[in-house]
């Protein structure tokens, strides 16, 4: 299979040095393998995605010298595809509507709970609700226990990156205690969560290598579970180091000071950006 990777930004703010590193690394690895580099716009979070950020993404990537294939997959144009998967999961009894607000979840979690203390996961308040009771404003959650009844565990995936190299095993216990019942469909009817849309599109675009920041490593267990549930292949993963500021904090969208646009305005060249993130000239 042809080495195929993607850069999949969400147009919710300016691209910063961390994004530049991720896009350049993915591009360079595809180039070295005689493979394909795709760009995907993950704009299903309608409350945060903005057209002007998307325009800025194209502009910054062009300036960095990254060629990508067209047409670009814009997730907002494929909502029916994600909805069909949610319908299938609902028909299989694997998802349920959830009306809990963050404050409800916090309150439920602060009440004494059975079992060992673990990370704060959804306490399952709405788990018994049938899908037919979904009202506008309800999210859709995966019933993790029901999902785990359908597929053999442990799940496995391979990471070729420097931070978590090697074969990884994901156990049922890990998914129950660390992931819980994740949201797969947002409150807005017909919009999928990032985890689900990314899994569907990675398979649809025949992505062989998912190259992305180590901040998404923890999400991989859930994504591999979803691949198994909806019968999609698991790609190779490569989680790379994060670009941090001088205090050691990883860069976030609000770090406008490190936006590529800011460096451009200050007269930096694409070669300067490569050097700043520790990549060699192409
Ligand atoms: N859209 C995600 C983000 O901007 C990246 C998803 C991925 O690479 O899997 O953080």
């Amino acid at each position: 299979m042809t080495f195929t990777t993607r850069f999949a930004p969400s147009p919710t703010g300016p691209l910063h040095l961390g994004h530049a590193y991720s896009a350049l690394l993915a591009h360079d690895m595809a180039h070295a393998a005689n493979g394909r580099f795709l760009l995907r716009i993950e704009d299903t979070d309608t409350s945060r995605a903005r057209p002007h950020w998307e325009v800025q993404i194209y502009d910054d990537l062009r300036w960095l010298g990254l060629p990508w294939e067209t047409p670009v997959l814009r997730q907002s144009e494929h909502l029916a595809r994600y909805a069909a998967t949610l319908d299938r999961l609902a028909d299989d009894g694997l998802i349920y509507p959830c009306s809990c607000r963050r404050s409800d979840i916090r309150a439920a979690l602060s009440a004494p709970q059975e079992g060992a203390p673990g990370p704060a996961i959804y306490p399952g308040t709405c788990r018994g609700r049938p899908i037919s009771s979904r009202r506008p404003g309800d999210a859709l959650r995966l019933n993790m226990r029901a999902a785990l009844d359908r597929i053999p565990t442990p799940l496995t995936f391979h990471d070729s990156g420097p931070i978590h190299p090697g074969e990884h095993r994901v156990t049922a216990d890990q998914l129950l205690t660390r992931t819980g019942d994740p949201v797969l469909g947002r409150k807005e009817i017909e919009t999928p969560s990032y985890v689900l849309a990314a899994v569907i599109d990675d398979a649809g675009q025949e992505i062989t290598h998912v190259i992305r920041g180590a901040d998404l490593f923890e999400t991989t267990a859930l994504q591999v579970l979803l691949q198994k549930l909806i019968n999609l292949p698991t790609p190779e993963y490569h989680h790379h180091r994060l670009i941090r500021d001088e205090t050691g904090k990883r860069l976030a969208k609000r770090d406008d000071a490190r936006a590529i646009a800011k460096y451009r305005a200050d007269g930096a060249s694409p070669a300067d950006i490569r050097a700043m993130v520790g990549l060699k000239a192409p």
Side-chain angles (χ1 to χ4, degrees):
M1 261 178 113
T2 309
F3 182 111
T4 307
T5 190
R6 75 327 189 255
F7 176 56
S10 305
T12 56
L15 295 188
H16 54 58
L17 280 186
H19 296 104
Y21 178 61
S22 205
L24 288 164
L25 180 69
H27 166 268
D28 290 1
M29 285 176 67
H31 188 72
N34 247 329
R36 301 171 65 199
F37 171 72
L38 309 181
L39 173 62
R40 181 165 82 220
I41 301 294
E42 301 207 321
D43 57 351
T44 58
D45 184 351
T46 47
S47 64
R48 294 168 61 223
R50 296 286 176 273
H52 67 274
W53 292 128
E54 185 177 338
V55 171
Q56 180 82 52
I57 288 170
Y58 298 131
D59 200 47
D60 284 342
L61 295 181
R62 206 173 292 118
W63 177 80
L64 280 171
L66 293 181
W68 62 86
E69 293 185 16
T70 52
V72 168
L73 192 157
R74 301 176 66 244
Q75 291 187 325
S76 57
E77 293 172 358
H78 299 275
L79 296 181
R81 180 189 298 170
Y82 315 122
T85 301
L86 285 168
D87 283 348
R88 244 176 63 203
L89 292 171
D91 288 346
D92 286 349
L94 295 178
I95 52 180
Y96 60 87
C98 174
S99 55
C100 295
R101 290 165 307 196
R102 270 178 216 276
S103 52
D104 299 331
I105 296 173
R106 264 199 307 272
L109 286 171
S110 63
Q113 287 193 79
E114 280 178 47
I121 56 165
Y122 178 65
T125 320
C126 290
R127 196 177 291 136
R129 285 181 54 192
I131 195 73
S132 55
S133 70
R134 187 180 190 193
R135 291 180 295 263
D138 284 353
L140 293 173
R141 284 186 186 270
L142 178 71
N143 182 335
M144 182 59 81
R145 198 169 280 285
L148 287 167
D149 283 345
R150 306 289 175 97
I151 50 171
T153 48
L155 306 170
T156 57
F157 67 93
H158 189 264
D159 199 303
S160 60
I163 317 278
H164 304 282
E167 198 69 21
H168 293 271
R169 278 162 48 92
V170 182
T171 64
D173 191 53
Q174 184 183 331
L175 285 160
L176 286 168
T177 59
R178 293 171 59 170
T179 306
D181 289 359
V183 169
L184 295 188
R186 293 177 209 274
K187 293 191 180 103
E188 305 80 26
I189 298 276
E190 306 303 343
T191 56
S193 68
Y194 144 71
V195 271
L196 180 67
V199 153
I200 293 172
D201 288 336
D202 283 339
Q205 295 188 290
E206 300 187 340
I207 300 300
T208 59
H209 290 73
V210 169
I211 300 166
R212 60 185 184 186
D215 52 332
L216 288 169
F217 178 76
E218 288 297 325
T219 309
T220 313
L222 171 59
Q223 293 195 309
V224 173
L225 172 97
L226 292 173
Q227 287 153 4
K228 293 285 176 247
L229 264 188
I230 51 187
N231 227 343
L232 300 174
T234 294
E236 171 84 14
Y237 287 88
H238 181 111
H239 289 94
H240 61 68
R241 66 185 164 85
L242 301 176
I243 304 295
R244 299 181 182 277
D245 67 13
E246 50 288 332
T247 67
K249 217 164 51 51
R250 79 179 168 91
L251 303 182
K253 285 262 165 65
R254 58 190 173 281
D255 283 313
D256 287 2
R258 280 143 188 114
I260 298 171
K262 174 78 171 53
Y263 288 105
R264 290 175 63 179
D266 289 349
S269 70
D272 294 333
I273 302 284
R274 275 190 175 268
M276 272 182 239
V277 298
L279 282 173
K280 288 201 287 286

